[in-house]
Each structure stands twice: as structure tokens, then as C-alpha cells.
Amino acid sequence: MKRIPCMEAAVAVMESEGVDTVFGIPGAAILPLYAALQHSSIKHITVRHEEGGTHAADGWARVTGNVGVCIGTSGPAGTNMITGLYTAMADSIPMICITGQAQKSKLHQESFQAVDIVEIAKPVTKWAVQLKEPAQAAWVFREAFRIARSGRPGPVLIDLPIDVQRGTCLYDPELDAPLPVDVPQPLPKAVAAAVDLLSAAERPLILAGGGVVIADASTELRELAEHLQVPVQVTLMGKGAFPEDHPLFAGMAGIQTQTRWGNAAFLESDLVLAVGARFGDRHTGDLDVYRKGRQFIHVDIEPTQIGRVFEPDLGVVGHARPTLAAMAAEAQRRGKARRPSAWANRVGELRRTLPRRDDFDEVPIKPPRVFRELNEFYGPDTTFVTAIGLYQIWSGQFQKTYLPRRYLVCGQAGPLGWEVPAAMGVKCAHPDREVVVVVGDYSFQFLMEEVAVAAQYQIPFVIVMINNEYLGLIRQAEIPYDMNFAVDLHYGEGGIDHVKAMEAFGCQARRVEEPGDIRSALEWATAEAHRSRLPVLVEVMVEREANAAMGPSLDAIKEFEPLPVLAEDIDWSD
């Protein structure tokens, strides 16, 4: 077996694991790894901030299903990665962050940029490890990829002391391969019990969470739903798991990202089969309301998720894809496919009679109108990327998604600034895919320097900014406190001129103030992004104090905008 620099072995492992792009910033303490990387097939994207690098690796992982990789040097590089690690941990995204480190003999001497990043990262990773010996390099990297992919996926941190990086090891790539990843199968008796409950219910729903998307289980979900004619709802993380134009689509339940008819359908249901969903508080709201009058079956790959928020009537441990496949097979064994039921028809009636308006013509622009234009202009294969704030809530309420891995959102952690670097990761993974970022003005300002990365490497996408010159979600949250404090971003002629900011990066931008101009701006931006191979911004100036529909429980959502007048509501006798 040949002796080689141990970092060459680490890079060979990454190549064989399917990594074609990494995001990072070189520094003195990580240069041996970079020396190995420069002669590999892996493309390196130099980001402007390590947090941006983690979010780019996160976006790459979400659309590929593979393990994203971010690299940084010692000290603050690692601490800058913590937010990205937390985000990936919260949303079950497989990712590896690699940090440089001072030499081992100096770690106890307060050496320059020496920090115990392993201990700092442990709460927000599945595994945080420091490489101790050059001979372990290939095997630590192999195990990192296995852990990141296994069970409920998540992030790993590998810390590399500079003296260990400079070492050599015996390694032959022909004798090495990715480690097997276990795919937990459900117990047949548990599957049968779940189908018993599902078949006996009069008004059942399937709730598809992010685990269905991660598991690539959309086909199995649809097969089960169609055979039993059970309506399907999605969580925010599950958007795209089930096509929103399907007759059995039952909307979204929640206290923020929800549809009116989705909440109504959920409240009328008598059983919920939740697959790969964690019952987040922005979905459930008040648990007494959420649970009252219905049974729950909870399917999850991670056993300790079951019962974490509340105790279900039945827990099933298993990977979403084989579990849904087994349930579909069991249902098919018991009888022919059902015809559409009264319950399915009822859900369709709720969808027809409980919409929200998105056709506003007012100036300033009302935010729902922006999402109407996005739905009408972009096709089903478009990948939308959004983060956290009122714009995310409007997006969840109004944007339509038809395919898995086409709607990316940082669901649990909600870091501002996530969108632009995540979109870079998406576009690096799928250069031919249309990518659209939906961002708020404040979130954009968090990591706006990453636009320079997209410009440098010619990574094109469209950014649609919902600009209310406010910390909009916090302003709305302050209403019960009878205050409007520390949330106003307006100054001078209107705060930051984002058009000029984009131009400073060498990119084009356009501001829109009339609803009738949104469509033409989207047409221009999409064509310009294709032509220039650069990110392009459409800044939409919206009503400054617009509020999104939300409330404390599924049955107490406050609507701030006028609701549609349906034909059956009109008194034609006048």
C-alpha cells in the first residue's frame, strides 16, 4: 500500500463520496488540506463568510440528498460555522464542516486562533471530532460521511490540527469505498396496526413532513394516499412531498405557515398519520386544540422523536420510504383501491370555499400579490429558496410547490441571511435549474456579501426581495405589547438602496412599486440572469405594516386582509 499525505487520502474519500463542490475560506491552519484539494476533481468556491459557506453546503445537500462540505481555518472560522451547523442539525441536513486547528502541543497554551471547536460544536452536531493521528484521516472522514447520512441525517464537524494534517498515511483508494448506511425497516405488525387505524378512520389525513422529502419517499406517499383515498397535508419542511394540484392535497395546517382550508380540514379530521414530521410549535400551536378529537400515528426514523412533543396513539420506527411502501402494500393486500370518499370531497369543498385573496391591485403593493405573480410566472421545476420572517410566512401560505426538493427553507433554526448562500449551493448542484430566492430586506443584509461570490463564479439566480423597511415579523409580534420599537429600518430616502448595492457587486437590479409591473420585472430578471450568468435582484416595495395571518392555535387565526367574495356568497336578488 502506498504512503501518501494524509490530506490527500481525506480528499480522495470526499471524491468517492460524491462531493464535487466544496465551499470555504482558506487560512494558515488549513493549508495542507487545500494543498491536497487543488489537485483533485473537487471545485472550491471561496465564500466571503464561513457562515455563508455552511449555508451554501446546506443548500447543495438539500437538493442533491448528498453530504455538503464546508471548509474553514482555525479559531473564528469554526465559531462562524456554528449557526450553519445548528441549521443543518435542526432540519436534518447531512453536512460536514472541516476546520483547521493549531498544532496539538499548543492547544493548552492559548495559541493564536486556537479554540476548542469540538466542544463548542457538540450540541449542534451528530459528531464533532478532532483528528489525532494522520493514520486515522481516511477512516475518520469515512465515518463522518456515514454518520451524516445515517438515521436522522445531520451535520458533523472534523477538526484538523496543522501538525496532523502534515502527516502521511498508508492508503489505497482502490481498496476503500463508502461505508454502508442502515435503512431501518418498520416492524410488520406495526405497519398492519397503522393500516388498521387508517382504514377504520372516517376522516383521516396523512401529514408529510420534511422526512418524506429527505427520504425521497414522495412516490410511496402518493401510492398509499391514492389507494386509500386519504387527503395529504404537508408541513413547511414537507412542501413538495405531495403535488399541490393533486385532488387529495389538503393544504397546510399551522399557526403561521398555513392555509385557511388546511386548518379547517385538520380540525375536522379524526386521525392523522404523521410521517417524518417533528410536530414543531409553529405547526401545532396550542396542543390541546391540535390533538382534540383525533388519533395520531407517528412514523419516524429516529426512535426518540416519537413522544417528544406528545404521545401518539401509535409509534412506528422506520425510514419513511420503506415504511410508506409497506403500508401501501398492506393496504393493497387488503382490497382494491378505494373510490373518492365523502371526506375527500369535503376537503375539496373546503379548498374551494376557504381561499385567501392574492389579487390585490393596491399601492403600496400587498405582499400576497407578489406570490401570485411568482406562482403564475415560474414553472413547477423552479427551485425556491427562502428563510425566516413575514416573507417566509406569506411564501408558505401562498406559494405552490409540486415537486420534492424544489422548496427550500431553513425551518427550525431560521437564520437570517440563509437564502443567498443556500441558493448558490443549489445552483452549483443543478446549474441548469431555475433558482429563485425570496428574501426580506433585513435578511438580505445579513449575508449580502455572498452576492460577490455568486458574481465571481458566475452563479446566476433571481432574487425577489419583499421590502417593507421593517423587521416585519417582530413588528407584528410587538402589536400585543402596544409598541413599535427598534424594528424600523427606514432612514433618509428609504434606507439602503439595494439596486445600487447590487450594482456595486457588478449585478443588475430593478425596483418595483406598482403591482402591474411585477410580471415584467420577473421576465426581465430571469432573462438577465441567463444572459449575464449573474444574480439579479427584483426589489418589490410592499405595504410597510402589512401583517400575515396567524394566531395561537389552529382555530384562532387572525386574518388581516379582506377575504375573497365567492359566487355562492353573492345575493343575486339585489
Side-chain angles (χ1 to χ4, degrees):
M1 195 173 289
K2 186 179 179 182
R3 181 167 293 279
I4 63 173
C6 69
M7 289 298 96
E8 289 186 11
V11 170
V13 169
M14 287 193 282
E15 288 178 306
S16 71
E17 294 281 358
V19 176
D20 58 23
T21 306
V22 298
F23 306 87
I25 303 176
I30 196 67
L31 291 183
L33 175 61
Y34 272 82
L37 195 63
Q38 69 171 334
H39 300 300
S40 74
S41 64
I42 298 173
K43 181 178 181 179
H44 181 274
I45 303 292
T46 302
V47 295
R48 299 302 189 265
H49 191 290
E50 289 87 359
E51 183 187 340
T54 62
H55 297 332
D58 179 343
W60 187 93
R62 289 183 195 235
V63 294
T64 63
N66 201 356
V67 181
V69 175
C70 176
I71 304 173
T73 189
S74 57
T79 56
N80 283 344
M81 292 178 175
I82 295 299
T83 297
L85 288 166
Y86 164 40
T87 304
M89 187 74 172
D91 287 351
S92 306
I93 306 304
M95 184 172 75
I96 294 174
C97 284
I98 304 167
T99 54
Q101 183 59 277
Q103 65 185 57
K104 290 189 294 182
S105 64
K106 296 290 186 181
L107 295 181
H108 66 291
Q109 296 178 345
E110 298 185 1
S111 181
F112 177 67
Q113 292 190 338
V115 65
D116 194 346
I117 193 63
V118 168
E119 287 300 315
I120 293 171
K122 278 182 178 179
V124 290
T125 56
K126 293 183 70 178
W127 189 39
V129 60
Q130 186 177 88
L131 184 65
K132 302 295 187 183
E133 300 292 339
Q136 289 185 298
W139 318 117
V140 164
F141 272 75
R142 280 290 183 217
E143 179 66 353
F145 277 91
R146 187 194 68 80
I147 289 174
R149 291 191 179 105
S150 295
R152 182 180 177 181
V156 170
L157 179 131
I158 305 175
D159 192 39
L160 303 175
I162 185 70
D163 51 330
V164 179
Q165 290 180 65
R166 291 175 178 144
T168 63
C169 66
L170 295 171
Y171 183 72
D172 185 349
E174 296 298 321
L175 302 178
D176 188 25
L179 300 173
V181 174
D182 184 43
V183 179
Q185 303 291 316
L187 292 174
K189 288 184 178 180
V191 168
V195 176
D196 285 341
L197 289 171
L198 200 58
S199 300
E202 293 182 6
R203 299 178 303 281
L205 286 175
I206 299 174
L207 177 65
V212 175
V213 176
I214 292 168
D216 293 319
S218 297
T219 299
E220 291 77 9
L221 168 65
R222 185 166 177 168
E223 186 177 0
L224 174 64
E226 290 179 344
H227 185 83
L228 292 179
Q229 284 296 297
V230 177
V232 178
Q233 291 197 340
V234 295
T235 67
L236 181 64
M237 294 298 298
K239 274 181 76 72
F242 198 79
E244 297 193 19
D245 56 355
H246 193 285
L248 288 173
F249 181 64
M252 296 177 67
I255 61 171
Q256 290 187 348
T257 50
Q258 30 70 22
T259 56
R260 291 177 68 213
W261 58 285
N263 275 358
F266 191 95
L267 291 169
E268 289 189 20
S269 69
D270 62 1
L271 179 134
V272 176
L273 166 62
V275 184
R278 58 183 177 81
F279 298 115
D281 54 348
R282 292 199 305 160
H283 165 66
T284 65
D286 183 280
L287 283 172
D288 289 337
V289 173
Y290 187 81
R291 298 178 64 189
K292 185 178 180 181
R294 59 196 57 84
Q295 294 179 294
F296 287 88
I297 305 167
H298 189 188
V299 175
D300 206 283
I301 196 170
E302 170 54 51
T304 61
Q305 284 294 115
I306 296 172
R308 176 171 289 190
V309 178
F310 62 84
E311 186 176 21
D313 297 272
L314 175 64
V316 182
V317 177
H319 188 282
R321 190 169 63 248
T323 302
L324 286 168
M327 288 183 179
E330 176 67 15
Q332 291 163 1
R333 186 187 65 80
R334 297 184 182 193
K336 294 181 180 180
R338 294 181 178 179
R339 299 177 63 83
S341 63
W343 168 235
N345 292 334
R346 171 60 178 163
V347 171
E349 179 186 6
L350 292 171
R351 180 175 190 163
R352 182 177 58 82
T353 58
L354 293 175
R356 287 192 176 103
R357 282 189 63 190
D358 61 5
D359 59 348
F360 300 103
D361 289 324
E362 285 91 336
V363 177
I365 298 168
K366 286 188 177 291
R369 175 62 183 269
V370 183
F371 296 98
R372 177 189 181 97
E373 300 292 343
L374 290 173
N375 286 331
E376 292 181 352
F377 180 71
Y378 289 105
D381 198 45
T382 303
T383 300
F384 286 94
V385 183
T386 193
I388 179 67
L390 281 182
Y391 62 96
Q392 180 223 64
I393 296 169
W394 284 311
S395 171
Q397 291 175 354
F398 291 99
Q399 274 194 268
K400 294 179 172 60
T401 311
Y402 306 96
L403 297 167
R405 302 189 189 275
R406 301 305 195 282
Y407 187 89
L408 307 187
V409 57
C410 48
Q412 196 270 346
L416 289 164
W418 184 81
E419 307 95 323
V420 167
M424 291 194 307
V426 173
K427 196 68 177 181
C428 287
H430 294 291
D432 296 329
R433 187 178 293 182
E434 197 79 67
V435 177
V436 178
V437 175
V438 178
V439 66
D441 52 309
Y442 192 56
S443 184
F444 179 77
Q445 293 167 26
F446 260 62
L447 288 170
M448 64 190 294
E449 73 277 359
E450 302 305 318
V451 171
V453 182
Q456 178 183 349
Y457 291 95
Q458 293 189 302
I459 304 172
F461 47 85
V462 173
I463 305 168
V464 178
M465 179 186 292
I466 312 296
N467 188 353
N468 58 7
E469 300 177 280
Y470 257 119
L471 308 187
L473 180 57
I474 307 307
R475 180 203 55 75
Q476 183 171 340
E478 287 185 351
I479 292 174
Y481 296 91
D482 193 27
M483 68 178 186
N484 187 322
F485 179 67
V487 292
D488 191 352
L489 304 180
H490 180 89
Y491 63 92
E493 294 297 318
I496 290 178
D497 187 332
H498 295 98
V499 172
K500 288 183 178 178
M502 288 294 290
E503 290 173 350
F505 290 118
C507 303
Q508 294 298 306
R510 181 178 293 183
R511 175 175 284 188
V512 175
E513 300 187 38
E514 299 276 346
D517 294 336
I518 298 173
R519 172 69 179 245
S520 61
L522 295 178
E523 292 174 348
W524 165 80
T526 303
E528 180 62 21
H530 282 274
R531 185 198 66 79
S532 65
R533 308 303 298 168
L534 296 171
V536 177
L537 170 69
V538 175
E539 180 183 27
V540 184
M541 307 304 293
V542 300
E543 182 181 0
R544 293 203 65 212
E545 295 190 357
N547 296 311
M550 62 179 78
S553 61
L554 301 190
D555 62 352
I557 302 299
K558 183 175 181 179
E559 299 288 339
F560 291 90
E561 299 292 355
L563 297 172
V565 177
L566 304 179
E568 54 263 47
D569 297 329
I570 299 173
D571 185 353
W572 297 102
S573 62
D574 292 344

